[in-house]
Amino acid sequence: MLRSLAMLSLLLVATPWVCADDADLQELLEHPILEPNQPLAEVQQYTEARVPPMPMVRSAEEWTRHAEQVRRGVFDKVVFRGEAAAWRDAATRVEWLETIDGGPGYRIKKLRYEALPGLWIPALLYEPASLEGKVPAVLNVNGHDGKGKAAPYKQIRCINQAKRGMLALNVEWFGMGQLAGENFHHGRMNQLDLCGTSGLAPFYLAMTRALDLLIALEHADPDRVAVTGLSGGGWQTITISSLDTRVKLTDPVAGYSSFRTRVRNLSDLGDSEQTPCDLAAVTDYAEMTAMMAPRPTLLTFNAKDDCCFAADHALPPLMNAARPVFELYGKGDNLRSHVNHDPGTHNYEKENREALYRMLGDHFYAGNTGYSAEEIPCADELKSAEELRVALPADNGDFHSLALALGRALPRTAPLPTEARAAAEWQKSRRTELSEVVRAKSYTVTAEDAGSEQKGDVAARFWRLHMGDAWTVPATELTRRDADGSGGCVILVADAGRKSLGDEVRRRVDAGQRIWVVDPFYFGECRVPHRDYLFALLVATVGDRPLGIQASQLAAVARWLETDQKAGPVDVAAFGPRSSLFALVAAALEPRAIGRAELHHSLGSLKEILEGNGSVDKTPELFCFGLLEKFDIVPITALVAPRDVVFREPSDRVGSELAVLKSWYATLGKEFDPLR
């Protein structure tokens, strides 16, 4: 009896068949691999290193040439891409509506103007009651304030300008005031990016058209044109002022900082229009500040800003960049700064307004002894939003309607060839094109062993996969301890990260597969914990694409498994529409190391992103610039052929969209059943 018990004890110790339960597997999948804050540190280092530095110039003439070159670069490579080039060439249409009483000494004229065909902006012109000759004209833009053009501090500013004899144009901003609504949500401008048309273009055109109409006024002095605004209005101010030399004086208030400053001060990370695709591959806001030289420039920031762009960290880099350039022109005094202490928070209240009045007086009314920078009381002249409402067309355009209209004709691609030799050439050419669109990288993996652990019948090994000197991808390798390797090797990725794949891992472990569960950039353990999508925008603004980084990382893991781990072509299984897209792109770009692709809950068409009115803050990699212009799920899948692509529980669009691929696979000598 004792001998039998001893034999049973030995058998229980030696047997590997104690099955890891769900909690054990979950513990393995949740095992931390990266160092704390490593994803944040890596994306900070990556983006910061790619922001253009201030150039070294030796003369005002040299800087003038450089600034013009930068402006052309911003227009050609950022603002006027795609359909935006045609929008730029359209005439500025202005419709003047009713005039209402303002207060003593001025009136308010309501108007609307077309920023681009079919998209109208409501505006108000505060006009002095008595006008003779040419007078200064000020474009007043507003920021992220739901009151929009009716915000009291903005009304007071415009009234004070008019009472001093200036023409004050008060324009509405997308998403605010009369233009509020989800279709003007700034994260939806990226729908245009997906279509290959700059989402920044409507923002820029709204400003430049406003300048057009302001300068065209009979009494506007083109040599005395100013722009000012708070917060997002401050961003608008430096953007239009640096890029449009018709602006002769600027006062951006608490509205921007250098991209390098933003990387390290998370409060400054700006949304889509402030971090537009590819801008930081051309210039930086510090350089744009210097591009104001020698025009009068007042940089206003707040000492205790409770929103963003606090003076202590935002202002010095801008002044340090711009001051030497102003001095090249002998105009060092034209660059000024003002730090607000009362109230010191995010504001454009009286002290900041009076700083503007002084700047306008010094440069637009020099020698006028009767000019005063003291604010003229006018609180009893403020009007309600309803009183200031401007009629707009019922079918006024917005970001979403523009994107839907663009998307109907996309992608702009020829039909798939029907002859095998032509098919091979098509794949080669289109693979190169896809690589360019997503800005794919060829990462070399250096693997770092991060430990191992066993739970019942499952052996786990943890890896830090270093992608060149840029990124680290955490990977969990899982196998059943008695697996003989005949089950093959598969890489798993998921929208919800590797910790969400417990059931799938259990199924595949039981099937004898060798499993690698990885979290590429922005997913799972690689997700930046603070204001995450804003860092994805930073990646795009420095010239890369989150989608391309994710696909490139996945392809690099597959190549490493094939070469270093002798795993042969590996399968990829993705769970969720986002992971399915970057996995499909990876399979298209890596024809050797990736074998079969299995996509769960995939999109059937990129047009679903537009139809679902998606926004970049939810799914940043899906808005890869120009992807839908040249590709969709079908042509990307065609690049994977003749390797298998299987769609599990896809969107309803998959069946109709992928039917065309059956004949394509037949051309390559392979049967295709995407839903098997």
Side-chain angles (χ1 to χ4, degrees):
M1 181 68 176
L2 289 175
R3 183 178 179 184
S4 297
L5 289 173
M7 289 295 292
L8 179 59
S9 298
L10 288 172
L11 186 61
L12 290 173
V13 170
T15 297
W17 302 110
V18 179
C19 184
D21 61 22
D22 291 346
D24 289 335
L25 275 181
Q26 194 61 35
E27 185 177 339
L28 293 175
L29 291 171
E30 292 182 2
H31 178 89
I33 297 174
L34 302 180
E35 297 296 328
N37 290 322
Q38 186 173 351
L40 174 62
E42 289 185 347
V43 75
Q44 286 176 316
Q45 181 178 351
Y46 187 88
T47 52
E48 184 178 43
R50 285 159 175 78
V51 176
M54 276 292 294
M56 300 294 293
V57 296
R58 293 165 292 184
S59 68
E61 293 77 12
E62 186 179 352
W63 178 262
T64 297
R65 290 193 298 271
H66 172 75
E68 282 305 311
Q69 182 180 358
V70 172
R71 290 186 185 101
R72 287 194 300 272
V74 172
F75 294 146
D76 295 343
K77 299 176 182 178
V78 183
V79 181
F80 294 122
R81 291 185 283 184
E83 187 66 19
W87 297 340
R88 173 191 55 194
D89 296 336
T92 300
R93 295 173 60 194
V94 182
E95 294 183 358
W96 294 92
L97 306 173
E98 66 176 317
T99 298
I100 62 175
D101 291 333
Y106 70 97
R107 54 185 164 262
I108 301 174
K109 291 184 174 180
K110 296 184 179 183
L111 66 139
R112 63 189 181 212
Y113 66 96
E114 215 177 20
L116 52 91
L119 199 166
W120 293 83
I121 307 291
L124 306 166
L125 178 67
Y126 291 71
E127 183 181 72
S130 177
L131 281 170
E132 292 183 6
K134 297 294 186 180
V135 301
V138 184
L139 173 58
N140 293 273
V141 290
N142 60 272
H144 296 84
D145 189 321
K147 298 182 183 67
K149 66 184 186 303
Y153 59 83
K154 194 181 187 194
Q155 291 192 56
I156 292 171
R157 193 169 78 235
C158 292
I159 292 169
N160 265 263
Q161 291 164 16
K163 285 178 178 288
R164 286 173 168 79
M166 306 178 206
L167 295 163
L169 184 62
N170 178 351
V171 299
E172 198 67 281
W173 199 33
F174 300 127
M176 310 299 152
Q178 277 191 252
L179 296 181
E182 66 175 13
N183 289 345
F184 274 126
H185 182 280
H186 292 185
R188 290 189 168 87
M189 67 167 257
N190 302 85
Q191 293 179 16
L192 299 172
D193 285 353
L194 178 62
C195 298
T197 289
S198 171
L200 180 62
F203 288 85
Y204 188 79
L205 288 168
M207 294 183 279
T208 194
R209 302 296 193 211
L211 280 181
D212 290 345
L213 74 89
L214 185 59
I215 293 172
L217 295 173
E218 178 185 357
H219 293 284
D221 184 351
D223 292 324
R224 291 187 288 173
V225 176
V227 183
T228 189
L230 166 68
S231 194
W235 167 80
Q236 292 178 82
T237 299
I238 192 59
T239 298
I240 190 65
S241 300
S242 63
L243 298 176
D244 193 327
T245 55
R246 293 180 297 172
V247 178
K248 305 304 180 184
L249 181 150
T250 193
D251 180 14
V253 178
Y256 74 104
S257 62
S258 163
F259 280 120
R260 287 193 176 84
T261 302
R262 293 167 188 240
V263 166
R264 300 297 172 181
N265 295 272
L266 305 191
S267 64
D268 288 9
L269 290 171
D271 54 11
S272 294
E273 77 283 352
Q274 297 182 36
T275 318
C277 190
D278 293 332
L279 178 63
V282 179
T283 189
D284 176 42
Y285 287 113
E287 183 177 50
M288 291 169 68
T289 307
M291 286 163 59
M292 282 302 304
R295 294 169 289 159
T297 300
L298 173 63
L299 303 182
T300 300
F301 289 87
N302 301 307
K304 299 172 288 186
D305 205 303
D306 50 350
C307 163
C308 43
F309 311 120
D312 60 350
H313 68 253
L315 180 58
L318 303 178
M319 294 293 289
N320 292 339
R323 186 181 294 109
V325 180
F326 275 80
E327 290 173 350
L328 286 176
Y329 290 90
K331 295 289 186 179
D333 290 343
N334 279 7
L335 176 65
R336 303 182 188 178
S337 64
H338 173 72
V339 177
N340 171 257
H341 292 275
D342 180 17
T345 53
H346 199 64
N347 81 95
Y348 205 155
E349 297 300 339
K350 183 177 179 180
E351 185 188 276
N352 281 337
R353 293 194 296 267
E354 290 186 336
L356 168 69
Y357 307 151
R358 282 193 298 275
M359 190 74 173
L360 291 169
D362 290 348
H363 292 279
F364 287 175
Y365 293 90
N368 185 339
T369 57
Y371 182 92
S372 171
E374 185 175 341
E375 184 158 274
I376 303 168
C378 58
D380 58 348
E381 299 169 34
L382 300 185
K383 302 193 182 306
S384 68
E386 189 56 38
E387 290 176 292
L388 298 177
R389 180 170 293 276
V390 175
L392 290 173
D395 60 348
N396 195 30
D398 52 48
F399 300 147
H400 184 49
S401 66
L402 290 169
L404 287 175
L406 290 172
R408 291 188 193 105
L410 303 179
R412 296 189 180 97
T413 55
L416 299 174
T418 57
E419 194 270 329
R421 181 174 297 178
E425 287 301 315
W426 180 90
Q427 282 188 315
K428 181 179 178 182
S429 172
R430 294 286 279 159
R431 188 170 285 123
T432 298
E433 192 172 15
L434 178 61
S435 177
E436 292 170 351
V437 169
V438 303
R439 308 286 171 91
K441 312 293 181 185
S442 182
Y443 294 124
T444 299
V445 171
T446 302
E448 177 188 354
D449 192 333
S452 60
E453 193 171 348
Q454 292 189 2
K455 295 285 188 181
D457 62 335
V458 177
R461 193 173 181 185
F462 309 108
W463 299 88
R464 299 186 189 100
L465 303 179
H466 302 287
M467 305 283 160
D469 60 354
W471 310 103
T472 304
V473 173
T476 301
E477 178 188 3
L478 297 155
T479 55
R480 199 175 66 198
R481 283 191 288 167
D482 67 330
D484 59 9
S486 61
C489 181
V490 63
I491 305 172
L492 304 183
V493 291
D495 288 9
R498 67 181 192 272
K499 66 182 181 181
S500 68
L501 291 171
D503 291 344
E504 185 66 20
V505 167
R506 178 77 267 170
R507 184 179 71 81
R508 291 178 180 271
V509 162
D510 289 345
Q513 285 189 306
R514 184 182 181 191
I515 304 161
W516 292 76
V517 195
V518 303
D519 284 333
F521 173 68
Y522 200 82
F523 287 94
E525 196 178 358
C526 276
R527 186 164 188 172
V528 177
H530 310 289
R531 313 190 78 179
D532 51 359
Y533 85 94
L534 299 179
F535 278 104
L537 291 178
L538 269 180
V539 166
T541 202
V542 299
D544 281 320
R545 306 289 182 261
L547 178 65
I549 290 173
Q550 293 157 356
S552 298
Q553 289 178 345
L554 186 58
V557 174
R559 289 194 299 272
W560 176 72
L561 288 173
E562 183 191 34
T563 56
D564 288 47
Q565 298 294 303
K566 310 303 180 188
V570 298
D571 293 345
V572 171
F575 297 81
R578 300 167 65 189
S579 297
S580 291
L581 180 59
F582 75 69
L584 184 63
V585 171
L589 296 177
E590 181 47 65
R592 181 176 58 85
I594 294 179
R596 180 175 181 270
E598 182 179 312
L599 312 177
H600 295 248
H601 308 289
S602 170
L603 297 170
S605 170
L606 297 174
K607 294 183 182 182
E608 294 177 64
I609 301 167
L610 306 181
E611 294 160 357
N613 204 13
S615 59
V616 77
D617 54 311
K618 303 296 192 300
T619 57
E621 68 287 320
L622 297 189
F623 295 88
C624 179
F625 193 96
L627 185 61
L628 179 57
E629 181 184 19
K630 297 185 177 181
F631 288 93
D632 205 342
I633 300 299
V634 165
I636 299 174
T637 305
L639 293 177
V640 184
R643 291 166 290 153
D644 282 342
V645 180
V646 179
F647 292 81
R648 306 286 192 201
E649 300 181 73
S651 77
D652 294 339
R653 292 280 286 274
V654 163
S656 59
E657 296 287 345
L658 298 187
V660 67
L661 285 171
K662 290 190 176 183
S663 60
W664 168 251
Y665 269 73
T667 298
L668 300 177
K670 184 76 178 288
E671 290 186 3
F672 180 69
D673 181 6
L675 304 178
R676 66 184 181 279

